[in-house]
Amino acid sequence: MDQTTYIFLLQGVGFILGVVAAHLAEKRLNIRLIMAMSLITGSIGSGALPWVKSYPYLASMFFMQGLAKGLVDYAALSICNKLWPNHRGLAFQFVTLGAGIGAFFIPFIARPFLATDTVTSQSNVKCKNPVSVGTKSARDHRSFCISPGHIEYPYVIIAILCVPPAIAFCYYFVKRKQFPLSENNYQQVEVGLMTSSRLHALMMTILFFLHIPVMSMPLAYGDLLTSYGVHGRWHLSRRHMATMTSVFWGAFLVGRVSNLALTNCAEQFYLLCINFGGLFMTSIILCTWTTDYEVALWIGSAGLGFFSSPFLPMILTWVSECACLTGSMISVCLCASGIGEVLVPVLSGWVFVHGGPQSLMYLIAGIVLCEILLFVALVLVARETKRCRDVIINEELVDDT
């Protein structure tokens, strides 16, 4: 388990470096080429990952996988931002919806290839890999018969799934390399106006801290939900909690689909307010009623998954209505999300171990409260930024006239 922790830490570091590398490379290379090469890197990393039984090799391949994910995430959002500057909300939601669907279905792809074990009496063991457990009494002695799995096959399947989009972006690069995607003139002017602005720097800072728990909080809660149910007051079975965890991630996916459907029907600001309000009510349920009612744990888990799902693309989309959404802003948000995915689950595990199961709910509530306060600060800064931008643009129009 200690070695596994370091592997996922390296994967998180690879993701952050991938985002930074993609942002820097975008200034010199075609973004479609970056996307194609990133997908090829991810395909090679996933396909080659499980075949060599060496810890340094395994850690290196997970690092490469994280690197490719960071490159792809940044390139996808950057391409959508440039292709649809006036309709980026729908495009951003599609990107994150695809990620949610992948996270939901990957366990079902992997399940048939996992190793299985059955318990038999020691006297009847006929399996190739018996592992004996129990007392020395022959009557109580048991053995796990472990059938070999083929966990390498899901990685190969994932590698194959990366090939068609890689080919597609190679095709787009070859056919349209004379027409690179670029910011429109209005955005370029605004970037020049806002780069040195204190408001712009303040907005970037708030966005950074706001995005640290955006994805890491659901990940931490999903990882510890089973432990909470098993070791908490209710002492529920692991099978029971596995179902609840599936409900949590199912609600997360439904939340992304619902917000995607509402993107063109309602303003992003109002959708954000609704989701933050729902998240606040959910955190209250988790803190106060889960110790007395099991149904509150079901409702709270589903609510947390549903209302925490849309923030990564939706906050960026709303900010773009008040200020220019640049590559730097996208990379800052993605890097913050990657840092959170490394730090918050570790913090949650430490709090759970030292403070008891219910401390997890208090931590979630504290994170939600911090998110709401940061969002309020972002609203105030964004409004002031929009006001200053409108004044500058009006002055330029008067000068041109």
Side-chain angles (χ1 to χ4, degrees):
M1 291 303 298
D2 291 338
Q3 289 177 321
T4 302
T5 300
Y6 288 115
I7 284 177
F8 290 119
L9 176 62
L10 282 173
Q11 189 178 36
V13 171
F15 174 81
I16 296 170
L17 293 178
V19 172
V20 175
H23 175 57
L24 296 176
E26 186 181 18
K27 300 177 181 179
R28 298 181 178 274
L29 299 176
N30 188 296
I31 191 64
R32 298 187 183 100
L33 177 62
I34 295 174
M35 176 65 97
M37 298 305 297
S38 303
L39 287 165
I40 292 172
T41 301
S43 178
I44 294 173
S46 296
L49 193 152
W51 296 101
V52 177
K53 297 179 180 180
S54 166
Y55 180 76
Y57 174 85
L58 187 69
S60 300
M61 289 297 103
F62 269 104
F63 174 81
M64 181 183 293
Q65 199 177 50
L67 184 73
K69 183 179 184 300
L71 290 165
V72 169
D73 281 5
Y74 176 86
L77 293 179
S78 180
I79 289 173
C80 292
N81 185 43
K82 294 176 179 179
L83 281 177
W84 300 286
N86 298 321
H87 302 282
R88 58 173 65 89
L90 191 65
F92 282 4
Q93 292 283 1
F94 261 105
V95 171
T96 54
L97 176 62
I101 292 174
F104 183 77
F105 281 109
I106 285 300
F108 295 100
I109 295 176
R111 181 174 296 178
F113 303 101
L114 296 175
T116 58
D117 56 87
T118 56
V119 181
T120 64
S121 64
Q122 182 67 20
S123 59
N124 295 325
V125 171
K126 296 181 180 180
C127 57
K128 294 182 179 179
N129 301 306
V131 180
S132 298
V133 296
T135 65
K136 294 182 179 180
S137 170
R139 181 179 58 186
D140 297 330
H141 209 56
R142 296 291 183 269
S143 175
F144 284 100
C145 294
I146 303 175
S147 63
H150 295 283
I151 192 60
E152 63 272 13
Y153 294 160
Y155 285 93
V156 173
I157 292 172
I158 294 170
I160 293 173
L161 291 175
C162 292
V163 174
I167 294 174
F169 278 101
C170 285
Y171 170 80
Y172 284 124
F173 168 69
V174 172
K175 296 293 290 186
R176 301 179 183 178
K177 61 182 177 181
Q178 301 300 326
F179 306 97
L181 295 169
S182 61
E183 308 285 353
N184 56 51
N185 293 332
Y186 174 76
Q187 286 181 321
Q188 288 179 349
V189 171
E190 189 176 3
V191 171
L193 294 172
M194 294 302 301
T195 299
S196 59
S197 171
R198 293 181 179 179
L199 287 174
H200 183 70
L202 182 58
M203 178 180 291
M204 294 280 279
T205 302
I206 295 174
L207 281 172
F208 177 82
F209 286 105
L210 181 58
H211 277 80
I212 288 178
V214 159
M215 278 303 299
S216 57
M217 183 183 67
L219 287 174
Y221 185 82
D223 290 343
L224 293 173
L225 181 56
T226 296
S227 297
Y228 176 86
V230 171
H231 301 290
R233 175 183 176 182
W234 300 104
H235 299 290
L236 303 172
S237 67
R238 293 189 177 273
R239 184 181 295 273
H240 190 81
M241 293 309 300
T243 303
M244 190 180 298
T245 304
S246 298
V247 169
F248 169 74
W249 287 115
F252 187 87
L253 181 58
V254 171
R256 286 196 164 172
V257 173
S258 301
N259 284 280
L260 173 63
L262 294 172
T263 295
N264 288 336
C265 303
E267 293 185 14
Q268 299 293 299
F269 177 74
Y270 296 122
L271 291 177
L272 282 171
C273 290
I274 291 172
N275 281 283
F276 272 117
L279 204 58
F280 180 72
M281 295 302 299
T282 298
S283 66
I284 292 177
I285 293 174
L286 291 174
C287 282
T288 58
W289 293 341
T290 51
T291 55
D292 298 322
Y293 306 99
E294 181 188 340
V295 67
L297 185 59
W298 285 90
I299 295 173
S301 298
L304 186 68
F306 184 90
F307 292 114
S308 64
S309 61
F311 292 128
L312 179 60
M314 192 174 289
I315 291 175
L316 284 173
T317 305
W318 172 71
V319 167
S320 68
E321 298 174 1
C322 306
C324 177
L325 184 60
T326 63
S328 298
M329 198 173 290
I330 294 174
S331 63
V332 163
C333 294
L334 289 178
C335 285
S337 178
I339 292 172
E341 290 180 24
V342 173
L343 297 180
V344 173
V346 175
L347 173 63
S348 302
W350 185 88
V351 169
F352 187 93
V353 170
H354 291 85
Q358 194 61 25
S359 63
L360 173 65
M361 302 306 178
Y362 299 139
L363 177 64
I364 294 297
I367 292 175
V368 169
L369 182 60
C370 289
E371 282 189 292
I372 293 174
L373 293 176
L374 286 169
F375 177 67
V376 172
L378 183 63
V379 170
L380 297 176
V381 174
R383 287 181 176 178
E384 183 64 20
T385 300
K386 186 176 181 180
R387 188 189 67 80
C388 294
R389 183 196 66 182
D390 293 340
V391 169
I392 294 174
I393 292 174
N394 290 334
E395 289 177 352
E396 288 190 345
L397 290 176
V398 171
D399 293 340
D400 291 341
T401 303

